[in-house]
Amino acid sequence: MSKKSIDIEKMLNHPEVQKIISHINPELIERRAYVPTECAVFSGTYTVLKNDEAYQFNIDREAKVQLPKIINNKVQVVERIDSPKELFKEKYGKKRNIGLVFSGGPAPGGHNVIAGIFDAAKKANQKTKIFGFLMGPDGVLENEYIELTENLVDVYRNLGGFTMVKTGRTKIDTDDKLALSKETCRQLHLDALVIVGGDDSNTNAAFLAQDMFDDNIQVIGVPKTIDGDIQVKDETGKVLCAMSFGFHTAARAFSTEISNLSTDCSSDVKYWHVCKVMGRVASHLALEVALQTHANITLIGEELADYVDEKRLNKAKTVDYNAYGMTLRHLSRVICNGIVKRAAVGKNYGVIVIPEGVLEFINEIQIFIIKLNAIIAEYNNAHDKDFHIEFPGLENKLTYLRRLARRSREEGFLSIWSTRDDDLFNEIPPFFQEGLLTERDSHGNFQFSQVETDKVLMGLVKDYLNILKEKGVYKIGINRNYYKKTLEKAGFDPDFFGTLLFADYDRDEFLLLKPTIVSMRTLKEALINGKAVQETEEIPLAVEKIYKQSVPNFKTQFHSYGYDGRGSDPTRFDCVYTYNLGLTVFSLIANGATGQMAAIKNLEMDFSKWEPIGIPIGALMHLEEKKGKLVLVLKKSVVDLNTPVFKIVQSLRKKWLAASPGKDEYRRPGPIRFAGKNEEERPITLVLNALENPET
Ligand code: FBP
């Protein structure tokens, strides 16, 4: 090695070093330069909106009362118009001020929504100004914004995150906040406000549209969330928005990592990788990950919610059960079943995918969540204080709950928290109790990302596996050839010992030790009974070796996927989808729409069939319980168990569990490539669900 010291200044100024360490790397340059294809309707100078009356919605009565000015909106189809009248041209191309706000968690593609709006708005009138509110809805409330310039927008084209203006979770849900928002819009002379967000944020968009209708300030929503739970169909099942943006990228990012774990565990054959994936309510992400990776076990919350325990239901006549559906215990049994089956064929490893929100679908937990929500809301109302401030620690909260239970028992006080609830609640581990008692987010949602769902479940799985181990049910299968070779090498007759040791010695490729052999002592007993050894003799080493290999050691590694996928650079699908969403937003604004959500119809089909549309947000609202009150919100879309995608995953479960000798079925989706021929065109979920659509 040369002893010459390195001149670090010179080294850093070396062009090759500068090139390599620059944050502007070739990948970034390629991404920024990419120009997403535009839907055909945007190829001209002007677009027009046509009401499409073919879609029907079952409008909520409360929505009619609370959103009278936008409730009669129709689905609007964006069309190209080549020779519009002068008045139309004038209106379309007038100078505008447009404000944009990101709301909720980041989702890949958000910057391209901005780029689409920016390009279309500037094409219509160079003088139009686009303002980006900072830090989410707080920026609107506090009038904190930046003007989005070409230079700024160009830096973020096709890049992930919401870095340009950041985001936040504040909800615009009170009259005061609506008034502050209106004031900001007035001060900035906004013609339109664009809210890029999930179900709660689009709900905000509807209320703002209603509130600012008479001020001629238009409000347009954009369907964003990696969770994929904004999907819109009309009452007859016609698909208007097959998927929110960001879902594809997040699912692909998770899948790449999870596929790598499949490779790891099938190499090292010693771990079960437990992968929690985001999706605080719906399990769409888990379902897509299952299709992308063929993980051995994937839980789908919606399926668990569908489960009814008939035995419990019958027993409920005599026992005070309040949950007849899936219980945590039952679910842990289902997982154990898969683990035990794989172990029997020598596979003491695998991959489990758990949707973050799975607990909400487990009947007994759901009941706790609802009851605790109501108790907290009732406390806040009755005392005009905040429950979480009054009872800061877990112990304080538990004491309050115990008091409620005691009062219900001793004083006959009518309370939704009974002694039985208290007993059941005390059975769950403290960290999970704490999770269930955490503060709801600003939208009143239970914060599943704060709960270690996977650890709760796997803790029960571990306990039950230990029981199965003691019962002699959970064992590692021993390969027949290996067994024979081992015994022959040591000079023993494998067939003689085989009938003493194994349950199905003559049948299977993988041999399972008899259930009665669960320790060295019981092994020796079996050998003595079979006259293979005397009391005073030692167990032959070769037999001991086989026994030891049959004893399972259940080892897990926990992984959590969410924030990484949320921050990924978008797939090509999300780049193109979001850019066209941005163009659609401008078209809606330029044509005077308000209270509409921009969407692209036919996402599940070839790009040439994509149709930019506006969907009436008011028509998608329904009443839901939030923080103990019924409020009007946009309806979330959970996994429909009757769709092709779910049915396909369900029917392939056994195959992907691969509890048979031979290879696993893992699929390698590979990394997000963005460019290149092999990048898949759209989420598998969309492709499969489109199969039911006769148009494809
Ligand atoms: P949005 O619904 O706002 O898009 O966010 C979804 C999500 O990514 C969930 O999957 C997850 O539970 C949650 O955000 C995490 O939120 P936080 O950023 O507050 O930890």
Side-chain angles (χ1 to χ4, degrees), residues 111-243:
H111 289 137
N112 271 20
V113 173
I114 293 184
I117 299 173
F118 185 89
D119 291 351
K122 293 285 180 182
K123 183 170 146 189
N125 189 327
Q126 272 301 327
K127 292 200 180 111
T128 285
K129 288 189 173 174
I130 324 279
F131 301 107
F133 288 105
L134 299 172
M135 313 294 289
D138 278 339
V140 179
L141 299 177
E142 291 164 21
N143 200 356
E144 288 292 327
Y145 65 91
I146 49 168
E147 187 181 340
L148 307 182
T149 60
E150 188 162 358
N151 284 345
L152 185 62
V153 172
D154 285 353
V155 165
Y156 288 100
R157 282 179 195 268
N158 306 304
L159 297 190
F162 286 173
T163 327
M164 197 195 301
V165 287
K166 326 278 185 261
T167 184
R169 285 202 182 276
T170 298
K171 188 174 179 177
I172 303 175
D173 57 350
T174 60
D175 289 345
D176 286 351
K177 289 185 193 170
L178 282 172
L180 276 175
S181 308
K182 199 194 289 196
E183 190 46 36
T184 298
C185 294
R186 276 193 192 134
Q187 280 178 14
L188 277 174
H189 302 289
L190 287 195
D191 296 280
L193 175 66
V194 182
I195 300 185
V196 182
D199 52 333
D200 289 316
S201 313
N202 275 285
T203 299
N204 291 175
F207 281 98
L208 282 165
Q210 163 70 31
D211 201 50
M212 303 202 287
F213 191 89
D214 293 334
D215 303 83
N216 291 323
I217 301 169
Q218 299 160 255
V219 184
I220 303 294
V222 182
K224 168 244 60 158
T225 173
I226 61 162
D227 292 4
D229 53 19
I230 303 194
Q231 299 176 17
V232 183
K233 288 182 183 171
D234 80 343
E235 282 311 306
T236 63
K238 286 194 208 111
V239 180
L240 284 158
C241 170
M243 190 55 74

Side-chain angles (χ1 to χ4, degrees), residues 104-105 169 224-227 278-280 356 449-450 563 566:
R169 285 202 182 276
K224 168 244 60 158
T225 173
I226 61 162
D227 292 4
M278 266 193 186
R280 72 174 134 204
E356 173 188 52
S449 59
Q450 306 293 313
Y563 301 102
R566 252 172 35 168

Side-chain angles (χ1 to χ4, degrees), residues 252-520:
R252 285 290 280 99
F254 302 164
S255 301
T256 302
E257 299 294 328
I258 292 172
S259 154
N260 293 347
L261 294 176
S262 314
T263 308
D264 175 81
C265 70
S266 53
S267 309
D268 210 10
V269 298
K270 66 177 185 202
Y271 288 127
W272 271 89
H273 287 292
V274 181
C275 308
K276 179 169 85 162
V277 299
M278 266 193 186
R280 72 174 134 204
V281 175
S283 306
H284 299 293
L285 278 167
L287 199 62
E288 177 75 16
V289 166
L291 287 158
Q292 295 272 359
T293 64
H294 301 182
N296 302 106
I297 298 175
T298 301
L299 304 181
I300 301 299
E302 291 79 344
E303 184 184 19
L304 305 178
D306 215 36
Y307 174 84
V308 175
D309 187 336
E310 297 293 344
K311 268 201 224 150
R312 247 174 177 244
L313 195 59
N314 287 333
K315 259 190 170 176
K317 288 166 199 147
T318 50
V319 184
D320 173 27
Y321 284 135
N322 53 18
Y324 319 120
M326 179 62 73
T327 60
L328 268 181
R329 194 152 297 168
H330 185 87
L331 179 56
S332 69
R333 306 298 191 255
V334 174
I335 298 174
C336 286
N337 196 20
I339 293 169
V340 167
K341 278 187 178 160
R342 275 180 66 84
V345 292
K347 298 174 180 173
N348 194 30
Y349 64 87
V351 176
I352 305 182
V353 176
I354 301 182
E356 173 188 52
V358 76
L359 297 181
E360 198 168 22
F361 290 98
I362 295 180
N363 195 212
E364 58 182 351
I365 303 297
Q366 205 174 30
I367 290 171
F368 277 143
I369 293 175
I370 294 171
K371 287 191 171 190
L372 292 172
N373 272 354
I375 288 170
I376 295 170
E378 203 178 281
Y379 182 89
N380 292 348
N381 280 342
H383 299 82
D384 200 19
K385 283 182 182 159
D386 187 281
F387 180 84
H388 296 284
I389 295 176
E390 288 301 297
F391 305 102
L394 177 63
E395 254 326 297
N396 311 113
K397 289 180 173 122
L398 290 178
T399 310
Y400 179 75
L401 290 177
R402 258 176 239 135
R403 214 158 56 217
L404 279 187
R406 214 176 30 244
R407 282 185 70 190
S408 83
R409 193 186 57 232
E410 290 169 5
E411 301 167 26
F413 167 74
L414 201 60
S415 163
I416 50 171
W417 197 253
S418 67
T419 325
R420 182 168 170 75
D421 290 319
D422 213 49
D423 291 346
L424 284 176
F425 200 67
N426 282 326
E427 275 180 24
I428 59 184
F431 76 92
F432 185 31
Q433 288 178 329
E434 200 153 12
L436 288 169
L437 281 162
T438 52
E439 202 164 347
R440 299 335 185 216
D441 74 4
S442 55
H443 298 275
N445 298 317
F446 183 73
Q447 299 196 62
F448 280 102
S449 59
Q450 306 293 313
V451 181
E452 293 184 296
T453 312
D454 42 351
K455 300 223 168 103
V456 173
L457 205 50
M458 294 315 287
L460 289 171
V461 165
K462 252 186 186 162
D463 291 348
Y464 192 55
L465 283 177
N466 277 335
I467 296 174
L468 294 178
K469 198 163 145 184
E470 277 163 25
K471 282 189 179 166
V473 178
Y474 175 35
K475 288 178 188 302
I476 309 290
I478 306 288
N479 180 284
R480 170 187 293 282
N481 291 337
Y482 173 80
Y483 161 74
K484 282 199 159 181
K485 226 166 69 188
T486 308
L487 262 79
E488 276 164 3
K489 217 162 124 190
F492 295 104
D493 175 4
D495 293 343
F496 171 69
F497 278 91
T499 50
L500 300 181
L501 295 174
F502 300 111
D504 274 319
Y505 181 64
D506 296 329
R507 273 198 315 181
D508 294 328
E509 187 181 330
F510 277 83
L511 304 170
L512 272 187
L513 236 67
K514 287 181 178 168
T516 45
I517 304 177
V518 288
S519 61
M520 290 292 280

